[in-house]
Amino acid sequence: MSVSAELPCLTFVANGIAGLRPYEPGMPIDELRRQMGVDDVVKLASNENPSGPSPRVIDAVRSYINESSLALYPDGGGFRLKRKLAEFHDIEPERITLGNGSNDILEFVSRVFLAPGRIAMFSAYAFAVYPIVTQAQGARALVIEARSAHDSMTLGHDLAAFSRALDEHEGVSVVFIANPNNPTGTWVQASDLEAFIDRVPAQTIVVLDEAYYEYQDPALRVDSRRLMEQFPNLVVTRTFSKAYGLAGLRVGYSLSSPVVADLFNRVRQPFNMNSIALFAADVALEDQDHVRRSVALNASEKTRLRNQLVQLGIRLLPSQTNFLTAGFGRDCSALHRALLERGIIVRPMGSYGLPEYLRITVGTVRQNDRFLEALTAVLDA
Ligand SMILES: *Cc1c(COP(=O)(O)O)cnc(C)c1O
């Protein structure tokens, strides 16, 4: 769409921006309270950790605010957190780039490697941020058809199709792979992914988005850290927004070759991480017990939720994440709306091209009970 006819000041809007559709976040709790006048709102829409952050993080942030000056700029290099992460992953700090959420990193990737004439490749039904950062750079998106509804990994990434597309197209500078993937919950086999990365031309950057890494069964995980050392074109992203329960503070990071990290640092805002977030992530990393407890709660509640939903005749995609993507076999707008009226926020999948699906974050026992109760009532009505 051309916007320049409307206002002269829009004449020089950059390539790709005019037609860009903004990311649609899950509805905030307060907004639903206002809209529907319901008090007891359960939000299962954005894959946040229902247990919140580690209590140690909350204590540490409190004392940090009391003892440190918020008037001072944060450490722009994130020295301490990078050193901590380097130890945690047993790699050089030069391989780490800190982001204001891992979304920030996805933007670094696009600003460094995407431009008009370049192609970014990703699966249908992959993370909504990939098409946004691609289009914002005026690059072309090559969307690879997902695996079929009859495949055991329904709507998952089809790496064989990725490989074929790479053979057919020149100028693919970035391949985005979310593993496990959002919004489907699906994953790729570690051996398939390794074979795929090995086949990707050395000049093409592969972004392996591991936002749900902690939730994945260790037996299914890709040894991304090792692969990253082996392949200089591999960028692995991780986040504190999910299992660490710090989505509100915005902390993510990437592991990559030092030369790629150096490029990211050139486009990174000097103070992209705030001081509280830097400090909180440092403490969060130390409390791996909290991560384990969060993952265990997710596993048991996901199983319970899955069993109950299946009993209601609802089709679920396979999931190695902290959410379930549920197919209802019909447009879910009315269902979504009816749940909102009962104070339940889940994520409609229409903007992902899956109008017959809802994505439900696995909550606490109480939140899941509330959701199941509301869903049963709505389906009976
Ligand atoms: C939630 C999520 C992220 C995390 O984004 P942050 O900016 O780190 O909060 C990244 N990738 C995928 C696929 C996600 O679902």
Side-chain angles (χ1 to χ4, degrees), residues 38-292:
V38 272
D39 277 337
D40 186 14
V41 172
V42 170
K43 185 188 179 211
L44 301 174
S46 302
N47 305 339
E48 293 133 333
N49 183 339
S51 310
S54 153
R56 280 163 59 183
V57 170
I58 296 174
D59 284 347
V61 166
R62 279 213 181 89
S63 41
Y64 179 84
I65 291 171
N66 290 332
E67 287 155 27
S68 308
S69 178
L70 294 183
L72 301 180
Y73 277 101
D75 170 15
F79 177 79
R80 258 184 69 124
L81 179 57
K82 272 204 228 173
R83 196 179 53 186
K84 192 72 142 286
L85 284 166
E87 254 168 54
F88 184 74
H89 290 290
D90 189 22
I91 55 171
E92 305 91 322
E94 294 73 31
R95 291 181 177 274
I96 295 171
T97 307
L98 299 177
N100 195 279
S102 52
N103 275 273
D104 208 17
I105 308 276
L106 299 175
E107 216 170 270
F108 302 160
V109 171
S110 71
R111 292 183 61 198
V112 173
F113 294 106
L114 291 172
R118 304 267 163 76
I119 298 173
M121 201 164 101
F122 44 83
S123 182
Y125 322 122
F127 192 36
V129 170
Y130 310 153
I132 293 176
V133 298
T134 300
Q135 195 180 330
Q137 288 301 116
R140 184 180 146 210
L142 186 61
V143 180
I144 308 301
E145 205 175 317
R147 291 166 71 161
S148 86
H150 309 291
D151 192 302
S152 62
M153 199 57 76
T154 309
L155 306 183
H157 286 31
D158 183 347
L159 291 181
F162 272 67
S163 279
R164 284 195 300 274
L166 276 171
D167 291 341
E168 285 162 16
H169 293 84
E170 274 176 44
V172 178
S173 58
V174 179
V175 177
F176 289 105
I177 295 175
N179 188 52
N181 181 46
N182 172 22
T184 59
T186 52
W187 64 99
V188 293
Q189 294 262 331
S191 53
D192 291 349
L193 186 68
E194 263 191 59
F196 171 76
I197 294 170
D198 201 32
R199 277 209 52 196
V200 170
Q203 72 272 22
T204 301
I205 298 291
V206 178
V207 177
L208 182 57
D209 180 342
E210 295 191 318
Y212 300 95
Y213 177 85
E214 294 83 0
Y215 291 107
Q216 196 172 21
D217 179 343
L220 297 173
R221 287 178 190 166
V222 174
D223 189 352
S224 49
R225 183 208 158 284
R226 179 179 56 78
L227 291 177
M228 177 271 302
E229 278 185 328
Q230 190 181 341
F231 296 99
N233 58 331
L234 181 61
V235 175
V236 178
T237 63
R238 296 280 182 90
T239 183
F240 284 87
S241 297
K242 306 285 155 67
Y244 287 92
L246 288 175
L249 285 184
R250 318 299 304 125
V251 190
Y253 62 97
S254 60
L255 313 176
S256 69
S257 70
V259 286
V260 169
D262 173 54
L263 289 164
F264 289 168
N265 268 300
R266 299 183 201 187
V267 296
R268 186 179 65 81
Q269 278 184 42
F271 302 107
N272 64 327
M273 311 283 304
N274 73 73
S275 53
I276 299 174
L278 283 170
F279 185 69
D282 195 299
V283 178
L285 201 60
E286 277 171 15
D287 194 354
Q288 289 298 318
D289 276 344
H290 179 74
V291 174
R292 274 189 286 274

Side-chain angles (χ1 to χ4, degrees), residues 301-369:
E301 278 304 285
K302 189 165 64 176
T303 303
R304 188 172 72 94
L305 205 51
R306 174 179 287 282
N307 291 340
Q308 303 255 352
L309 290 170
V310 166
Q311 274 188 11
L312 291 171
I314 295 157
R315 248 187 96 233
L316 297 168
L317 302 187
S319 165
Q320 280 289 316
T321 60
N322 63 344
F323 60 84
L324 288 171
T325 304
F328 290 80
R330 61 188 153 89
D331 186 283
C332 286
S333 319
L335 179 57
H336 175 242
R337 175 107 203 136
L339 288 168
L340 286 178
E341 283 165 8
R342 285 174 160 77
I344 309 288
I345 313 177
V346 295
R347 191 63 156 267
M349 293 282 94
S351 62
Y352 280 95
L354 296 169
E356 301 190 345
Y357 289 80
L358 292 178
R359 192 191 68 197
I360 304 133
T361 304
V362 178
T364 59
V365 175
R366 188 194 148 271
Q367 288 176 323
N368 298 331
D369 281 342

